[in-house]
Amino acid sequence: MSEIVLETRHLVRRFGAFLATNDVSLKVERGARHALIGPNGAGKTTLINLLTGVLPPSEGQVFLEGEDITSMASFRRVKRGLTRTFQINQLFNEFTPLETVALAIAEREGVGHNLWRSIAGCGKVVDEAAALLARFGLASVMGERTVILPYGKQRLLEIALAFASKPRVLLLDEPAAGVPEDERHEVLQIVSDLPADVTVLLIEHDMDLVFSFANRISVLVAGAVFVEGTVAEISTDPRVKAVYLGENA
């Protein structure tokens, strides 16, 4: 029997009279590659914000590994193993990738204050950061300022930064968004090669990435779960083609 690692029950978020999330009940299995798709304005990012505690729900509950985390602060959810990336990079432009990831690791280990004194003096942290950057194809640029990196490398750095917290559940909010075509292959390959023991919930508009990555897809329309199924089921569902993939548009 599969284990549910992330779950929402009847989740609602209102902004005044506008219903951004409408009675969403969603289950994500441990180790899943679960994609959340839908047209612009469907409420995908609002749902991610509810899952991560950026927004409180108007109604409903969020569970992580069976624990009700509905009222839990965002940083505590990260410590519980729920981490996200963003549509727009949330990076320190003047830091190098090594400094960025080393700081995240140091904060995770509770030694962040020491890192500010001398990054060179935190050998174990720096070694782990360097290994993580190599895993994400960033070894050759780990000493460069983030602001001058190609955008695809910046997206990879954000995923590496999320991994520095050792997540059990990773929420990827459009990891390939804005990445030039000649840099996309590397980003998509890294996403495809994410460790199998990390559960991934992916928001993405690139359907090639979705269909090659996901083993389960939920389609969100007008804030509600419209349909859910396997890649084969979703890719051939005429209702999905009509509302999202562009047929009969």
Side-chain angles (χ1 to χ4, degrees):
M1 184 175 179
S2 62
E3 182 181 359
I4 303 304
V5 65
L6 183 64
E7 180 181 3
T8 68
R9 298 180 189 171
H10 307 293
L11 207 59
V12 174
R13 173 65 195 195
R14 299 185 184 89
F15 294 97
F18 176 64
L19 196 60
T21 305
N22 183 8
D23 194 30
V24 171
S25 292
L26 182 71
K27 294 181 178 181
V28 180
E29 296 181 359
R30 186 176 300 280
R33 297 297 187 255
H34 197 127
L36 186 65
I37 69 172
N40 288 332
K44 301 183 295 297
T45 296
T46 297
L47 179 57
I48 293 295
N49 287 336
L50 293 170
L51 291 173
T52 55
V54 174
L55 290 172
S58 303
E59 300 173 24
Q61 296 169 289
V62 180
F63 294 85
L64 178 64
E65 297 183 317
E67 178 184 6
D68 189 339
I69 62 168
T70 309
S71 301
M72 185 179 290
S74 294
F75 77 94
R76 295 196 182 279
R77 299 186 197 206
V78 173
K79 290 183 180 296
R80 290 287 203 284
L82 179 63
T83 307
R84 72 175 294 182
T85 64
F86 294 81
Q87 285 181 351
I88 300 173
N89 283 335
Q90 308 286 307
L91 299 172
F92 299 108
N93 284 336
E94 298 305 313
F95 279 26
T96 67
L98 184 61
E99 290 169 338
T100 299
V101 174
L103 179 60
I105 293 169
E107 289 294 335
R108 184 197 74 206
E109 298 297 323
V111 295
H113 58 287
N114 290 329
L115 193 72
W116 288 112
R117 286 184 236 163
S118 173
I119 190 171
C122 298
K124 184 178 178 181
V125 169
V126 172
D127 288 346
E128 183 181 342
L132 188 59
L133 290 168
R135 180 179 194 169
F136 284 88
L138 296 166
S140 64
V141 297
M142 69 171 64
E144 304 287 341
R145 287 189 307 140
T146 296
V147 70
I148 68 172
L149 298 183
Y151 193 64
K153 296 290 189 185
Q154 293 185 23
R155 299 300 285 180
L156 289 173
L157 176 56
E158 188 171 20
I159 300 173
L161 186 60
F163 256 78
S165 67
K166 293 188 175 180
R168 294 193 297 277
V169 181
L170 178 62
L171 311 179
L172 295 177
D173 196 348
E174 298 193 41
V179 177
E181 192 62 37
D182 61 347
E183 299 174 38
R184 288 176 64 81
H185 174 75
E186 184 178 18
V187 175
L188 301 189
Q189 189 61 53
I190 291 292
V191 170
S192 296
D193 291 343
L194 291 173
D197 62 344
V198 177
T199 303
V200 181
L201 179 61
L202 171 77
I203 293 179
E204 185 53 64
H205 283 290
D206 185 320
M207 298 312 296
D208 289 336
L209 172 57
V210 169
F211 290 151
S212 65
F213 178 80
N215 51 31
R216 190 80 180 166
I217 299 175
S218 298
V219 183
L220 209 62
V221 176
V225 176
F226 180 67
V227 65
E228 186 175 294
T230 65
V231 171
E233 291 167 342
I234 297 300
S235 63
T236 58
D237 191 315
R239 298 169 297 171
V240 176
K241 292 179 180 180
V243 303
Y244 184 76
L245 300 181
E247 291 195 4
N248 302 323

